[in-house]
Amino acid sequence: MHLTHDAALGINLLHANQEGADHNRAHFDEWGITCFNIMSSPGAGKTVLLEKTLATLSNTLKIAVIEGDMTTELDADRLRQYGVPVIAINTGRSCHLDSRMVAGGIHRLVHEYDPTQLDLVLVENVGNLVCPAEFEVGEHAKVALLSVTEGEDKPLKYPVMFREADCLLITKIDLAPYLDVDLNRIEANIRQINPDVTVIQVSAKTGQGLDQWFEWVRRQCH
Amino acid sequence: MTNDEMHETDMTKALIVTLHDWWEAQLERPKIAKVHLIVGKFTCVEPVSLEFAFEVQTRNTFLEGATLEIQETPLIAFCHRCQQEYRPEIGIQYACPDCRSPMDDIRSGRELKIDRVEYATEGLGIADCRF
Ligand SMILES: Nc1nc2c(ncn2[C@@H]2O[C@H](COP(=O)(O)OP(=O)(O)OP(=O)(O)O)[C@@H](O)[C@H]2O)c(=O)[nH]1
Ligand SMILES: [Mg+2]
Ligand SMILES: [Zn+2]
């Protein structure tokens, strides 16, 4: 008899999470929903961007939000004012959303709303630059934000999220004149890592660049 | 706890869940003594923190006492223009050092793989043989 002393696996460390993400995505596809995973370091402007997006696009697109927040419902409350379904997920000590948490959010969403009526689900991830990018949640596209106040070298130092992003928003560009920051330099640093990413410079405060962002969002929806 | 440490905790949790799913699907379930991982340099996993988190989080589980063995792989990109591989300097420079083309194809460095496990065999200590 051959005694088995070791076993070859060759499976991804995040296999269980990936399966959950694929499952979520299959549901989205079945319902005709496009899903974005929106990521950035804390305070880069995700919630404000969502507010602007809901204010402009929720007439023409049926949007729901899944809001990951470590402790509070503050961000979710801000977004509920726009009259769209907002599911808040308390992530507790976890520093990012994973596919199981988002599955729970989807479950709660379809309990209250007919998912076939929705066009777009926006997932606001926990503010963290280190790596929500490794944990897929079932999204069709990853959107990363980098604010001008974070410095030009952030993409070089935290490259994984910037590599994985399909759309990169350089936010708070209204502040650029007050800082010693070169927007072209930021963009060049991002392109070194991810040559095909769509880069859009925006200011939620002045509205600059937002039309370009809305246009990108509309193009992704099937 | 810093963000980075929490991140390793989550990564470890994900690893344990994946291992558990696999283990449950096996016909025989001998005790696991060692888990071999292949972890790329271009991931957010910090091996030392992962090893620490693994030890803490496997206590009182089916992985109790198991250790992690992590093999790191370097970041290697391929420049299509120069038709050659190069090693980007993580944190500093990712474009091709010769022609400045951006980092396009990644040939190595994104791995996050459970390569294999070693079982503890009674009386013999750890047995390690590939077959
Ligand atoms: N000047 C300026 N401030 C902005 C802009 N966008 C966001 N802010 C400010 O940045 C701060 C953080 O914005 P949020 O939208 O809450 O950021 P967030 O990424 O959702 O933050 P977390 O969810 O905590 O990670 C707020 O004080 C915003 O008013 C902008 O375009 N210009
Ligand atoms: Mg927010
Ligand atoms: Zn080259």
Side-chain angles (χ1 to χ4, degrees), chain A residues 28-96:
Chain A
F28 287 138
D29 289 341
E30 176 194 328
W31 298 324
I33 292 172
T34 301
C35 175
F36 297 162
N37 185 358
I38 302 171
M39 300 173 278
S40 77
S41 55
K46 298 180 292 301
T47 307
V48 173
L49 179 78
L50 288 184
E51 290 188 88
K52 299 289 173 192
T53 307
L54 295 176
T56 301
L57 291 181
S58 60
N59 317 323
T60 48
L61 290 172
K62 285 274 167 284
I63 307 176
V65 177
I66 293 179
E67 179 66 44
D69 211 319
M70 293 186 74
T71 45
T72 68
E73 288 233 353
L74 288 178
D75 280 0
D77 286 340
R78 269 161 70 189
L79 297 170
R80 287 196 181 100
Q81 297 173 18
Y82 295 86
V84 304
V86 178
I87 303 294
I89 298 179
N90 188 328
T91 59
R93 283 156 60 94
S94 185
C95 60
H96 57 84

Side-chain angles (χ1 to χ4, degrees), chain B residues 17-70:
Chain B
V17 171
T18 297
L19 276 170
H20 189 255
D21 286 355
W22 171 83
W23 198 68
E24 288 277 288
Q26 304 306 302
L27 290 174
E28 283 177 69
R29 295 173 199 150
K31 193 163 164 43
I32 294 171
K34 211 179 231 187
V35 179
H36 292 259
L37 302 184
I38 298 177
V39 171
K41 286 267 196 200
F42 196 71
T43 64
C44 46
V45 173
E46 177 49 58
V48 177
S49 324
L50 191 68
E51 275 163 21
F52 175 72
F54 187 82
E55 193 208 308
V56 174
Q57 288 181 59
T58 52
R59 280 175 202 159
N60 303 314
T61 73
F62 72 107
L63 288 165
E64 166 106 56
T67 55
L68 269 192
E69 186 82 30
I70 300 174

Side-chain angles (χ1 to χ4, degrees), chain B residues 79 81-82 84 96 98-101:
Chain B
C79 177
R81 198 152 165 205
C82 302
Q84 66 177 9
C96 171
D98 292 334
C99 76
R100 301 278 140 194
S101 291

Side-chain angles (χ1 to χ4, degrees), chain A residues 1-17 19 42 70 92-96 100-101 127-135 153 155-160 163-164 189 191-196, chain B residues 1 3-4 6-7 10-11 13-15 17-19 21-22 30 37 39 42-45 50 90-95 101-106 110 112-121 124 127-131:
Chain A
M1 199 189 94
H2 185 93
L3 247 175
T4 312
H5 293 317
D6 96 354
L9 275 79
I11 47 178
N12 193 288
L13 200 150
L14 299 173
H15 182 78
N17 183 70
E19 271 191 343
M70 293 186 74
R93 283 156 60 94
S94 185
C95 60
H96 57 84
R100 189 186 42 82
M101 295 179 206
N128 169 10
L129 205 51
V130 180
C131 252
E134 301 275 27
F135 290 81
D153 56 355
L156 304 179
K157 287 187 185 160
Y158 299 91
V160 177
R163 171 75 184 184
E164 295 291 317
N189 283 343
R191 293 223 175 271
Q192 257 196 64
I193 298 164
N194 187 350
D196 300 323
Chain B
M1 223 189 223
N3 229 348
D4 289 37
M6 272 198 291
H7 174 75
D10 284 356
M11 200 47 102
K13 212 184 293 163
L15 164 66
V17 171
T18 297
L19 276 170
D21 286 355
W22 171 83
L37 302 184
V39 171
F42 196 71
T43 64
C44 46
V45 173
L50 191 68
I90 295 176
I92 299 163
Q93 169 77 40
Y94 299 86
S101 291
M103 179 170 71
D104 193 355
D105 282 355
I106 293 181
R110 287 292 285 140
L112 277 177
K113 205 167 83 171
I114 307 170
D115 185 34
R116 66 198 171 91
V117 298
E118 283 174 40
Y119 295 125
T121 47
L124 292 169
D128 177 16
C129 63
R130 276 180 174 279
F131 54 93

Side-chain angles (χ1 to χ4, degrees), chain A residues 8 13 24 33 36 44 52 61 87 105 110 115 133 137 140 143 157 161 167 175 192 217:
Chain A
L13 200 150
N24 292 347
I33 292 172
F36 297 162
K52 299 289 173 192
L61 290 172
I87 303 294
V110 302
V137 299
H140 296 93
V143 177
K157 287 187 185 160
M161 181 180 294
C167 182
L175 298 177
Q192 257 196 64
V217 174

